[in-house]
Amino acid sequence: MFARVAKQLTQELDSDGRLIPISSLASANHYRLFSLVMKEQSRLPWQPRKYLATPYELTDVFKEGATMDAEVKYDDLLGYSETTDQNAGGKLSLKLQTTEVDFGGSGKSSFSVSQISVRKAYVVEKGPWKIDTSHKFIKEFSGSPRMKLYVVTEAFEIKEPLLIEKTSQGGGKVIITAGEIGGIQGRGKSIKKKMMLIPQGTVLAYVVQPLNIQKEITLCASAGLQNRKSSFVSDGNHRCSALLSIWLSIFQEVKGTIKRECEPLMSLSQDFRIKLLGTFKSFLQDGDVISDVKTVLELFLAGGQPKHSMLDSLDKILRPQVENLLHDLGVFCETQREEAPSLLQPVHFLCSSLEDLDFRVLPLLVTCIEKNMVAKRLALMKDVLEWGLLSSDEESIFSMASSLPEEEKNITAEMMETCGLIPQTDRPPLTYLWNKEAQSNLTVLYAALYALWILSE
């Protein structure tokens, strides 16, 4: 819920794409003014920029005796609120010989955000910052080709406590009549309500600038692709063949990267795989949990010591599972599982992939796990990516296997549309117009399915 509000508020405030929404309440304190963050080189093409939390602030890496030569100013921005309602309903009637079955169902969900007042805090530099280049953290990361260090120079804070409410309501009836034997009637209704109170002063979005001890270098795969594409200037079939070769190479890199990131999961015992799969199945009920786990792992991997209080905002039912997972990974304890060091990166990679997905995809993944459909969805996603990336026509239309069972067909359709593919309603089911803008969503979905597939095998 927190990530959803942060993203929507960022869209309201942001006209030039500078703002970065915060993904979890647990990480909000690590993106205040003068906080140091790391920009990670994208492990997958087309991924959005990612800035990882660290336990350090700018003054922690100053030279001895240096002072902060900067001023903090504030601007009041806007008030904002939101209420969203969704309704769904359905009915199914069957007549089988002397038996009549009537199912009816309905569902409703609402998402509301109380009035938000936001202010911008920003830094006005008055002189160069004197960084201690011998500091352990600076030495470790300033020379890394994968990481670059940044400092938060703008932070968008809420001025009063913020209440977020989410209510899900489901109801239905069942009527079964069997000849003259009699009838059975039943009704059911379930209501699930979740509330989150965001404290005053919480940062929802931020802006960074590079720490001036290093030069900005662009190393992302998409930039490399642009450079390679620019060298192909010939026309006709030769150019198409060259572009297809490039996309094929990129897709092979994508698959290779995902395999390397998830490889440590393959060496786990079957019992621990089952346990880890069950843990993530529970986490998929709440995207905030996934983001909080990712944040804790980021801080731990950066050399920090995360505190239990970072988990205070979590659902009381899910929090024990989060603590158990972090305990197994050695985050909150001195003793840890033998596999813990090698598991930190792949678990962080899985959380990062899941966090990048639209929240509507998460319950679909739960269904895939419960129905043993992960392997089939993974194979389908591989075909979709291959088709789209190897197509020379950006507006090509493709169809998936229409012989899928109805439930799988519905799940697939919802996944594809949520990822950004455009359904062709005048054609057979599961027919889509390829959309290059959907590449990022499709890629992270493939990555998440790959990790879940390993755990489910």
Side-chain angles (χ1 to χ4, degrees), residues 202-223:
T202 298
V203 177
L204 297 180
Y206 61 98
V207 175
V208 299
Q209 70 177 40
L211 203 58
N212 60 11
I213 60 169
Q214 58 190 8
K215 295 181 179 179
E216 180 76 13
I217 302 173
T218 303
L219 290 174
C220 66
S222 58

Side-chain angles (χ1 to χ4, degrees), residues 101-104 172-176 184-188:
V101 184
D102 188 348
F103 294 94
K173 67 174 183 177
V174 178
I175 301 176
I176 302 176
I184 301 174
Q185 296 190 31
R187 289 184 177 273

Side-chain angles (χ1 to χ4, degrees), residues 97-111:
Q97 297 179 355
T98 59
T99 301
E100 180 178 322
V101 184
D102 188 348
F103 294 94
S106 64
K108 179 182 180 181
S109 66
S110 65
F111 183 83

Side-chain angles (χ1 to χ4, degrees), residues 330-381:
V331 176
F332 287 144
C333 65
E334 295 181 2
T335 58
Q336 58 187 15
R337 293 184 62 91
E338 184 179 345
E339 310 99 320
S342 62
L343 281 181
L344 288 169
Q345 288 289 358
V347 171
H348 179 269
F349 179 75
L350 175 54
C351 289
S352 181
S353 299
L354 292 171
E355 182 185 67
D356 286 342
L357 291 172
D358 188 290
F359 69 93
R360 293 171 294 176
V361 176
L362 302 185
L364 301 177
L365 292 175
V366 173
T367 302
C368 289
I369 293 172
E370 291 176 342
K371 303 289 186 178
N372 295 319
M373 295 190 296
V374 175
K376 292 178 71 173
R377 298 282 75 69
L378 177 64
L380 191 64
M381 282 306 307

Side-chain angles (χ1 to χ4, degrees), residues 205-434:
Y206 61 98
V207 175
V208 299
Q209 70 177 40
L211 203 58
N212 60 11
I213 60 169
Q214 58 190 8
K215 295 181 179 179
E216 180 76 13
I217 302 173
T218 303
L219 290 174
C220 66
S222 58
L225 175 62
Q226 291 172 358
N227 291 336
R228 281 186 283 179
K229 284 175 66 176
S230 65
S231 63
F232 293 95
V233 295
S234 59
D235 297 326
N237 294 333
H238 176 70
R239 185 174 185 276
C240 290
S241 176
L243 288 175
L244 289 176
S245 177
I246 291 172
W247 286 117
L248 179 61
S249 174
I250 289 294
F251 186 57
Q252 294 302 324
E253 289 177 15
V254 168
K255 292 193 295 184
T257 297
I258 294 171
K259 182 178 180 180
R260 285 192 302 273
E261 294 287 345
C262 299
E263 196 165 13
L265 300 176
M266 297 181 179
S267 60
L268 297 176
S269 66
Q270 186 175 16
D271 287 344
F272 192 59
R273 284 193 203 184
I274 293 173
K275 177 183 177 182
L276 199 55
L277 181 66
T279 297
F280 272 97
K281 178 184 168 185
S282 298
F283 290 176
L284 290 168
Q285 300 173 26
D286 189 337
D288 291 324
V289 172
I290 294 168
S291 295
D292 285 354
V293 171
K294 182 181 88 66
T295 296
V296 171
L297 294 179
E298 282 173 9
L299 292 173
F300 189 68
L301 288 167
Q305 294 296 325
K307 299 178 181 179
H308 281 273
S309 59
M310 293 180 66
L311 307 178
D312 286 348
S313 64
L314 291 181
D315 184 289
K316 292 181 179 179
I317 297 176
L318 294 176
R319 177 166 176 168
Q321 294 187 61
V322 172
E323 292 179 329
N324 288 337
L325 172 63
L326 295 174
H327 183 277
D328 285 342
L329 297 177
V331 176
F332 287 144
C333 65
E334 295 181 2
T335 58
Q336 58 187 15
R337 293 184 62 91
E338 184 179 345
E339 310 99 320
S342 62
L343 281 181
L344 288 169
Q345 288 289 358
V347 171
H348 179 269
F349 179 75
L350 175 54
C351 289
S352 181
S353 299
L354 292 171
E355 182 185 67
D356 286 342
L357 291 172
D358 188 290
F359 69 93
R360 293 171 294 176
V361 176
L362 302 185
L364 301 177
L365 292 175
V366 173
T367 302
C368 289
I369 293 172
E370 291 176 342
K371 303 289 186 178
N372 295 319
M373 295 190 296
V374 175
K376 292 178 71 173
R377 298 282 75 69
L378 177 64
L380 191 64
M381 282 306 307
K382 175 178 173 292
D383 292 342
V384 170
L385 282 170
E386 282 184 337
W387 177 276
L389 296 178
L390 299 181
S391 173
S392 59
D393 183 359
E394 293 190 8
E395 297 187 351
S396 60
I397 294 176
F398 67 98
S399 296
M400 302 181 201
S402 57
S403 59
L404 292 172
E406 195 65 27
E407 183 179 27
E408 293 188 32
K409 191 181 296 184
N410 292 336
I411 290 174
T412 301
E414 194 167 350
M415 279 185 171
M416 297 303 99
E417 291 174 34
T418 304
C419 284
L421 292 180
I422 304 170
Q424 303 300 289
T425 55
D426 58 338
R427 294 177 180 250
L430 301 182
T431 300
Y432 298 92
L433 176 67
W434 175 252

